[in-house]
Amino acid sequence: MTNKEENTMTQEQQAMAEARKARSIEILTREGIPFIQHLPLIEPEGVAKVRSQEEIARRAGCVFLTAVCSWNIVEVGEEHQREVAGHFTGILQSWGLGEELSQRERKLFSGEAATQIIQAATWRMEAFVVLAWALGRVPSLDIPRGQFQGDLEEFFPNVQPSSYKKFAAWSRRRPDGEILDEADLIYRIRWAAEDARINGKAAPAGIDADVALERHIALNWLIGYGGDDWDNISIDT
């Protein structure tokens, strides 16, 4: 968030944003993660355009299948990506999500994706976990020190045509404040990881920089920061 945007808040909204920042810094201090005081505030309740439950569920379905499709392509070899992509395109269509894909996701499901797109997609499950958390399907998000270790099967059992409807029906979106709390925290965690990278150091406090990146993408999308283009969500630090 820019200082100009901060100046458009009411006093109450400014206080909410500052309190959120203070809570994040308290967590960072406890976890031994570096921070800077002058990193800007993020937009608070009433300003941030947090996504609806339906939007989040549909994006979550796309991201889940994108990750699983890419894993399967890597497992069998890129020379077989057309067959793999065709199989998962069928599932995607049965879920009614064929029109929801981003441009890079469309490339993957076309069976003509470059290695870079396939490899990047293998990390998307970490973004999915954030979306599932926002829908109340994951109890909590810990400090991103490693990849998700939960049972992915529970979200979409056997990846059947009926799986998405059940996933969406059993979801309950978290309040704006909870989502904004995580967005503020990952923003500051990512600053620490990027500062370390720029200075040629390992990410501090055991942070997994790749996992933190995926979480930052998902959380910024959730709060409507940087537009609607999933492929190009702003993740400035």
Side-chain angles (χ1 to χ4, degrees), residues 15-64:
M16 291 169 67
E18 289 175 348
R20 175 165 287 117
K21 175 180 177 178
R23 291 195 298 273
S24 292
I25 289 176
E26 182 179 347
I27 294 171
L28 297 174
T29 301
R30 184 171 67 242
E31 296 292 337
I33 300 171
F35 61 89
I36 51 172
Q37 285 285 354
H38 59 270
L39 202 64
L41 305 173
I42 70 165
E43 294 178 333
E45 295 91 329
V47 179
K49 296 177 175 61
V50 182
R51 308 283 178 174
S52 69
Q53 177 168 313
E54 182 179 357
E55 285 180 289
I56 300 169
R58 295 176 76 80
R59 178 96 299 266
C62 290
V63 174
F64 184 90

Side-chain angles (χ1 to χ4, degrees), residues 50-209:
V50 182
R51 308 283 178 174
S52 69
Q53 177 168 313
E54 182 179 357
E55 285 180 289
I56 300 169
R58 295 176 76 80
R59 178 96 299 266
C62 290
V63 174
F64 184 90
L65 284 184
T66 294
V68 176
C69 180
S70 66
W71 290 350
N72 278 264
I73 291 172
V74 170
E75 183 177 356
V76 302
E78 290 184 31
E79 66 271 22
H80 300 293
Q81 69 165 297
R82 280 186 176 275
E83 298 95 308
V84 174
H87 170 73
F88 284 100
T89 295
I91 297 171
L92 183 79
Q93 297 293 350
S94 74
W95 287 7
L97 301 178
E99 300 303 314
E100 301 289 329
L101 297 177
S102 71
Q103 288 301 312
R104 289 178 192 163
E105 289 168 343
R106 289 182 189 281
K107 197 68 175 177
L108 181 74
F109 283 94
S110 75
E112 299 178 349
T115 298
Q116 183 180 6
I117 290 177
I118 296 169
Q119 292 296 329
T122 64
W123 280 97
R124 285 294 182 258
M125 196 59 74
E126 298 301 327
F128 165 78
V129 169
V130 173
L131 301 176
W133 168 83
L135 292 169
R137 301 301 303 275
V138 171
S140 62
L141 295 176
D142 55 8
I143 299 297
R145 293 190 171 104
Q147 297 180 45
F148 180 69
Q149 298 298 315
D151 183 9
L152 296 173
E153 180 77 10
E154 69 176 274
F155 298 111
F156 299 101
N158 302 314
V159 199
Q160 296 296 315
S162 62
S163 298
Y164 174 74
K165 287 184 178 180
K166 291 178 180 178
F167 174 83
W170 296 343
S171 296
R172 293 293 181 272
R173 202 201 80 163
R174 293 180 184 274
D176 288 4
E178 290 185 31
I179 295 173
L180 289 164
D181 282 350
E182 291 293 343
D184 187 273
L185 181 60
I186 198 65
Y187 173 43
R188 300 176 197 286
I189 289 174
R190 278 267 296 137
W191 174 86
E194 280 295 285
D195 182 66
R197 183 188 64 80
I198 291 169
N199 288 288
K201 300 177 181 179
I207 293 170
D208 186 315

Side-chain angles (χ1 to χ4, degrees), residues 1 5 8-10 13 43-50 180 223:
M1 165 176 269
E5 288 169 322
T8 65
M9 296 184 206
T10 65
Q13 289 168 337
E43 294 178 333
E45 295 91 329
V47 179
K49 296 177 175 61
V50 182
L180 289 164
I223 66 172

